[in-house]
Amino acid sequence: MRSIPVLSDLTAESLADFLRALPSVDAVGLEARAADLGTRSIKTSSKSWAIDTIIKLIDLTTLEGADTPGKVRTLVSKALVPDARDLTTPRVAAVCVYGDMVAIAVEALGDMHGDPDQGKVSVAAVATAFPSGRSSLAIKIADTQEAVAAGADEIDMVIDRGAFLAGDWWTVFQQIVAVKEACRRADGTHAHLKVILETGELVTYDNVRKASWLAMLAGGDFIKTSTGKVAPAATLPVTLLMLEAVRDWYAATGQRIGVKPAGGIKTTKDAIKYLVVVAETVGEEWLVPHLFRFGASSLLNDVLLQRHKLASGHYSSADYVTLD
């Protein structure tokens, strides 16, 4: 891998030169490898570990215009106690909400608000005119700062896909840099920044590769596939491509960047495929909350049903789990 330019040294020209020089994606090879990895099974003895790992990596999400404080509190309750009939069930990594609901989520979490790597639950907030990203930079910065001030541990920002597709990569880069700075807290620490590429609108694998590298060059802590509002959302080939980007980034810089597939992952069977892809591409050390997440609203229920079946030997009815 060629040398990676330093953020402070980048210009519009050098950024464009770097992105244009990235090799084209072998689409047939990428999809074949993803399909092969997706067919691999795990041993029955490992399934319990896989199920609990999936739960620990979920960002439990509600991003609807009809969200209410009560719905967010219910979401937090489920994040803390996913299965009231089995208190050995691990907690999810985070709850993901709109910025105006951050304070409510923080309050509802109470003493359990904190680092998911320590068994607590983070609060993630979507920002920067989610899901379209169509606003001024000033509004995007204010949106981010308000969420961080309210207690958000993580910011999920959306890139300006229009600017990216028009070839204005420098504008996209500068906006990510500015939002990363807006994640700074008063004590000098930062909320983690997840950069949503909205891969369904980027259309080509080459664009996904370029956007992944652009986001990492600009200081993103995570690269995320989708808002969940555009189809297609997360796919195995796209996630594999993004994992290959963070693998190559780590080889070149020694810095680990996280990956978050979001949208459309609804079953335990599908989620296990992603675990396999992660393990085979970047290693099992990435299967921790600060390096991999599932963005999901309905996945948890299926995982809980599968977990109960593994423990009891039979499937429960759908009303075993709560709807929210």
Side-chain angles (χ1 to χ4, degrees):
M1 184 70 197
R2 61 204 177 98
S3 61
I4 308 300
V6 177
L7 185 152
S8 59
D9 294 338
L10 277 168
T11 64
E13 293 75 20
S14 62
L15 175 66
D17 288 344
F18 182 89
L19 295 180
R20 289 193 188 104
L22 291 170
S24 294
V25 177
D26 174 4
V28 173
L30 177 72
E31 291 174 358
R33 177 160 171 74
D36 175 63
L37 292 171
T39 62
R40 297 188 187 178
S41 59
I42 63 172
K43 297 177 181 178
T44 303
S45 59
S46 299
K47 194 166 185 180
S48 177
W49 169 86
I51 285 173
D52 281 2
T53 298
I54 292 167
I55 296 171
K56 294 175 186 177
L57 299 176
I58 288 176
D59 283 359
L60 195 58
T61 303
T62 183
L63 297 171
E64 302 297 334
D67 285 344
T68 63
K71 184 175 182 180
V72 171
R73 292 188 185 99
T74 299
L75 192 79
V76 168
S77 296
K78 186 162 185 174
L80 291 172
V81 186
D83 186 349
R85 283 176 272 192
D86 184 354
L87 298 182
T88 69
T89 307
R91 300 182 182 93
V92 302
V95 291
C96 185
V97 296
Y98 277 112
D100 63 326
M101 293 290 173
V102 167
I104 292 163
V106 169
E107 180 185 25
L109 284 168
D111 291 343
M112 293 312 299
H113 174 216
D115 185 352
D117 285 303
Q118 303 299 321
K120 296 190 176 184
V121 178
S122 289
V123 175
V126 295
T128 65
F130 177 96
S132 70
R134 311 300 300 196
S135 70
S136 69
L137 179 57
I139 289 174
K140 292 178 180 181
I141 290 172
D143 195 20
T144 302
Q145 289 175 331
E146 287 179 6
V148 173
D153 307 285
E154 304 164 10
I155 295 294
D156 289 30
M157 74 165 288
V158 286
I159 67 167
D160 184 335
R161 283 87 73 192
F164 182 91
L165 292 169
D168 189 2
W169 299 328
W170 186 241
T171 290
V172 180
F173 175 85
Q174 288 182 306
Q175 289 188 356
I176 297 172
V177 171
V179 173
K180 177 66 179 281
E181 180 57 31
C183 289
R184 185 186 296 273
R185 304 186 184 96
D187 64 1
T189 62
H190 285 79
H192 282 227
L193 179 61
K194 304 196 200 87
V195 181
I196 307 172
L197 309 182
E198 197 65 288
T199 54
E201 291 185 341
L202 296 186
V203 183
T204 70
Y205 291 134
D206 283 348
N207 279 340
V208 173
R209 174 172 281 171
K210 287 183 175 69
S212 296
W213 279 93
L214 186 156
M216 294 188 294
L217 287 165
D221 300 298
F222 260 77
I223 50 176
K224 177 178 172 182
T225 62
S226 323
T227 62
K229 306 295 185 182
V230 171
T235 67
L236 216 54
V238 160
T239 304
L240 171 58
L241 180 58
M242 293 167 64
L243 286 163
E244 289 174 346
V246 303
R247 177 199 63 198
D248 294 344
W249 177 272
Y250 176 65
T253 68
Q255 179 189 17
R256 289 185 170 95
I257 302 293
V259 174
K260 178 179 174 179
I265 306 170
K266 299 182 181 298
T267 69
T268 306
K269 182 179 179 180
D270 285 341
I272 287 174
K273 293 178 183 179
Y274 283 84
L275 296 187
V276 172
V277 170
V278 173
E280 291 292 329
T281 307
V282 290
E284 289 187 17
E285 60 266 34
W286 247 264
L287 292 174
V288 290
H290 71 277
L291 290 174
F292 192 77
R293 300 285 180 85
F294 291 104
S297 54
S298 60
L299 172 62
L300 180 59
N301 279 352
D302 186 76
V303 178
L304 293 176
L305 289 172
Q306 295 297 328
R307 192 177 192 273
H308 184 254
K309 191 263 183 183
L310 201 64
S312 66
H314 61 82
Y315 283 104
S316 300
S317 64
D319 59 9
Y320 179 85
V321 294
T322 59
L323 292 177
D324 292 321

